Amino acid sequence: MDTAQLQRALMDPAAYPERPGSVSFTETHISLVFFTGAHAYKVKKPVNFGFLDFTTLDKRKHFCQLELNLNRRLSRDIYLAVVPIRKKGGRVVIDGEGRTVEYAVKMKQIPEDLLMDRLLDRGMISREMVERVADRLVDFYGKTETNERIQSFARPNRLRQDTDENFEQTEKYIGTTVSGRQFREIRGATDSFLERNRQVFLQRIREGRIRDCHGDLRLEHVFFGQEISILDCIEFNERFRYIDIAADIGFLAMDLDYRGRGDLSRVLIDRYVNRFGDPGIYRVLDFYKCYRAYVRGKVESFTLDDPHVDTGEKERALDRALEYFRLSHQYAGMLS
């Protein structure tokens, strides 16, 4: 089935075993997500963006299973199963009879007002709550996998490939979302820091700081339920997940800085350092914050080229991109 047909079929409450009264829907570049009130069903689109490839049914099944397994590390009670979507005659059903036409990750539907970004907007995130997030992450980092192959992804030459890619992909936005001065100075500071601190990055590898992390640790992925759950780990590309812990938790710290809560950003990192015993993170933290802010500026810039995004959202994406690049430039000034 093509994506449009599947979307129409899964808007029918009769397609679901729980028989909801209604179905709501949201869409990203790579997924369709259907909400029944009790559950959310996430379906991968048959797309290939280079950094991910979901173009065959077998690949989508594989990445659904990987998404389930990886996310259960931090959200065991939310990520429930991989379920087949089947078609018999003209009827499409989830986990029913017929020929398998697609797969979905079945999750518990959560109240979004308990996500960390929403709580922060309402002034409901305290120092103690941030410390609890840090404690959850310390427990996670202490258990997650590391080995020689995972560690190879954080070698200085490898990191340089990632930063070079960022700059190559954003040159077209100079004068739109990033100024020429910002671009030159961020790139210069990044390149210089990698060159001067080669031994620092190698020491991080020797200390076992490079692990199979979350990869997309943002405020909107932290859920304050009965326990803290962290959602939407990156499953589709190891390169984005096999990273220094500093790049992972630094993403969340950057997100707090972006929201004007540098005080809570410091609480997060200090608590992590005190609990995990990683004072060396301070030597690379601003570098990774600079990198993360730049990536977010890049992603928001990409939105400007998407023909499916309306003018209002593009204007908001422009504002966000300008702020992320401003923040990246601010971090770059700390790298000398």
Side-chain angles (χ1 to χ4, degrees), residues 27-171:
E27 181 176 8
T28 71
H29 284 78
I30 63 175
S31 301
L32 307 173
V33 189
F34 301 88
F35 302 95
T36 68
H39 299 110
Y41 294 85
K42 185 177 180 182
V43 179
K44 299 186 186 304
K45 294 180 180 179
V47 292
N48 185 344
F49 292 131
F51 60 87
L52 64 80
D53 183 0
F54 296 159
T55 51
T56 70
L57 183 61
D58 283 345
K59 286 178 179 178
R60 294 193 294 279
K61 179 182 180 182
H62 166 75
F63 283 111
C64 280
Q65 190 62 53
L66 192 58
E67 179 177 358
L68 177 76
N69 295 343
L70 290 169
N71 277 290
R72 295 196 80 194
R73 299 178 301 173
L74 283 163
S75 305
R76 177 164 294 276
D77 294 336
I78 293 174
Y79 285 77
L80 304 177
V82 175
V83 293
I85 301 171
R86 296 193 170 110
K87 183 177 182 181
K88 187 174 183 179
R91 186 164 177 254
V92 174
V93 293
I94 289 181
D95 210 9
E97 295 182 353
R99 176 175 60 92
T100 300
V101 294
E102 200 51 83
Y103 293 91
V105 178
K106 180 180 181 179
M107 297 171 281
K108 184 184 296 183
Q109 186 171 333
I110 60 172
E112 294 188 358
D113 60 342
L114 295 181
L115 293 170
M116 194 172 181
D117 62 330
R118 306 286 184 90
L119 292 170
L120 192 68
D121 286 342
R122 303 199 302 274
M124 296 177 66
I125 292 293
S126 66
R127 176 191 180 98
E128 291 72 26
M129 292 167 74
V130 174
E131 289 177 340
R132 287 172 53 207
V133 174
D135 292 346
R136 184 82 170 94
L137 290 168
V138 164
D139 180 66
F140 169 65
Y141 294 136
K143 295 175 182 176
T144 192
E145 184 180 6
T146 185
N147 56 43
E148 188 172 336
R149 180 170 177 273
I150 289 172
Q151 292 163 4
S152 71
F153 282 77
R155 297 186 65 82
N157 290 346
R158 182 71 195 76
L159 293 175
R160 178 64 183 264
Q161 291 176 13
D162 289 341
T163 56
D164 282 350
E165 179 182 80
N166 274 338
F167 296 123
E168 290 163 6
Q169 291 176 341
T170 50
E171 277 189 287

Side-chain angles (χ1 to χ4, degrees), residues 250-264:
F251 201 164
L252 190 60
M254 182 279 293
D255 222 4
L256 287 165
D257 289 340
Y258 175 81
R259 296 296 192 97
R261 294 307 304 266
D263 57 328
L264 295 180

